[in-house]
Amino acid sequence: PNNSTEPISPPPSIDRARPASPVTDLDALRLARAYLLRAAEPPAPALTAFIAHVGAVTAAQLIREGTAPPAVLEATNARRGIDLAEQDLAAAAKVGARLLIPEDDEWPTWPFTALDLASARGVRWAGHPIALWARGTGRLSDLTDRAVAIVGARAATGYGDHIAAELGYDLALADCTVVSGAAYGVDGAAHRGAINADGATMAVLGCGVDQPYPAGHSGLLDQIAQHGLVLSEYPPGTPPARHRFLIRNRLIAASSAGTVVVEAGRRSGSRNTAATAQALGRIVMAVPGPVTSAMSVGCHEMLRTGEAYLVSSAADVLEAVGRIGTDLAEPVQEERRPTDQLDEQQLQVHDALDFRAVLTPEQVAVESGVPLDRVRAVLPLLELCGLAERDDTGWRRLSGKARCG
């Protein structure tokens, strides 16, 4: 995204615009927002600010007439004469998609608030989406209520694919929506992991929802739609383009409580998503990999500079982004050795014993450096603990489990 922080001033000439009349007709709003989505390339900060001021229906009418503020007319100059709203809605319906607008009940308020706050700080790429084309069975507000983004390298290694699929599976089992971009590599593995767990997953595209991109993931996109949603800001028929994938990254980041980077090169779109998430106040996490792997260089750099938290499991992710008091990771249970209970002198005596040879207390004292009277006190204790045994001639070490507490 364009990381310019030039403040977005209120659109000029607002006073000369005709006042917005209250509109409650969702069909009219949907048509207006469908037109506006095609009128300017997202995120179009001047346009979104204008819509927020006068409303979608009035904004669409003034743009068509050419009487909107200059900044808005400049953003829509190339396309404002193209009104394909009804055709776009029909094309979306043919592939089982619909247009979600902020006035719908399922529009998520909290996730996209971060975009509004970033816009207010002058972050130009952080514009609130005008509307979203959605294909699938899920409700957007439900899917974003508890969601984690998993992103990473398209040219993922076997390690990256395995970790992404495992994270997707385990997070889905924990009732988290797995959000990603449906690309090859880490994205696809994360989606498949969630689907294999019969969980919820959501893909955000940099092209129209009717465009199976990448082509090899056509079947996967259908499965994602059955388990959640395929989303896009771009009207049906819009082809993929590099800048569109960078812009859509803000929606992946905003839709999730945190973003996990599984594998990433030094320069990658995944790191762009992570930087976007960080700018939106979201938690950024990274999975470490082999130090010899070029696909883990980006993750290691993020961890080294403190840009990301280190995570190695879904439990770590949930502890970082989950609900307070309910998603804490289980403490690591350290393996206890039978000798952990021994003090320093007891351990010296134990180490002086031999598995095969039988030693007298005097020999143990010489070998361990522990005084003889102390050796004679420790040896029976080691026997009680199952760490030593004696016969008629002396003592030897046992390897059995300790029995004393």
Side-chain angles (χ1 to χ4, degrees), residues 219-272:
L220 177 61
L221 287 165
D222 290 340
Q223 289 182 299
I224 293 170
Q226 293 168 10
H227 285 79
L229 286 175
V230 176
L231 289 178
S232 177
E233 285 182 283
Y234 300 100
T238 303
R242 185 177 183 276
H243 73 275
R244 289 174 180 147
F245 288 100
L246 293 175
I247 291 298
R248 69 87 195 259
N249 286 347
R250 82 191 198 285
L251 299 181
I252 292 177
S255 299
S256 313
T259 295
V260 183
V261 183
V262 174
E263 283 190 319
R266 192 175 299 277
R267 290 173 57 86
S268 70
S270 302
R271 292 198 68 182
N272 173 274

Side-chain angles (χ1 to χ4, degrees), residues 54 74 118 140 189 198 249 307 312 321 346-347 351 372 390 394:
V54 303
E74 181 180 356
L140 185 55
D198 199 25
N249 286 347
E307 297 172 59
S312 59
V321 304
Q346 292 168 348
L347 187 60
D351 289 347
L372 179 59
R390 62 179 166 180

Side-chain angles (χ1 to χ4, degrees), residues 166-339:
E166 187 176 73
L167 286 174
Y169 185 91
D170 290 341
L171 287 170
L173 286 182
D175 294 325
C176 283
T177 301
V178 174
V179 182
S180 198
Y184 290 129
V186 166
D187 288 18
H191 287 304
R192 289 189 184 95
I195 291 168
N196 289 337
D198 199 25
T201 186
M202 190 166 73
V204 186
L205 307 183
C207 56
V209 292
D210 60 339
Q211 304 294 301
Y213 184 84
H217 277 179
S218 177
L220 177 61
L221 287 165
D222 290 340
Q223 289 182 299
I224 293 170
Q226 293 168 10
H227 285 79
L229 286 175
V230 176
L231 289 178
S232 177
E233 285 182 283
Y234 300 100
T238 303
R242 185 177 183 276
H243 73 275
R244 289 174 180 147
F245 288 100
L246 293 175
I247 291 298
R248 69 87 195 259
N249 286 347
R250 82 191 198 285
L251 299 181
I252 292 177
S255 299
S256 313
T259 295
V260 183
V261 183
V262 174
E263 283 190 319
R266 192 175 299 277
R267 290 173 57 86
S268 70
S270 302
R271 292 198 68 182
N272 173 274
T273 305
T276 300
Q278 189 174 49
L280 295 178
R282 302 292 195 252
I283 294 173
V284 178
M285 296 154 280
V287 177
V291 295
T292 55
S293 174
M295 287 297 99
S296 288
V297 169
C299 291
H300 294 161
E301 181 70 12
M302 292 166 63
L303 293 170
R304 186 183 69 81
T305 58
E307 297 172 59
Y309 293 98
L310 188 153
V311 294
S312 59
S313 67
D316 293 343
V317 175
L318 288 170
E319 184 170 78
V321 304
R323 295 183 173 91
I324 295 174
T326 61
D327 288 318
L328 294 177
E330 291 291 331
V332 176
Q333 298 295 325
E334 295 184 3
E335 182 181 355
R336 290 185 58 82
R337 300 174 181 174
T339 55

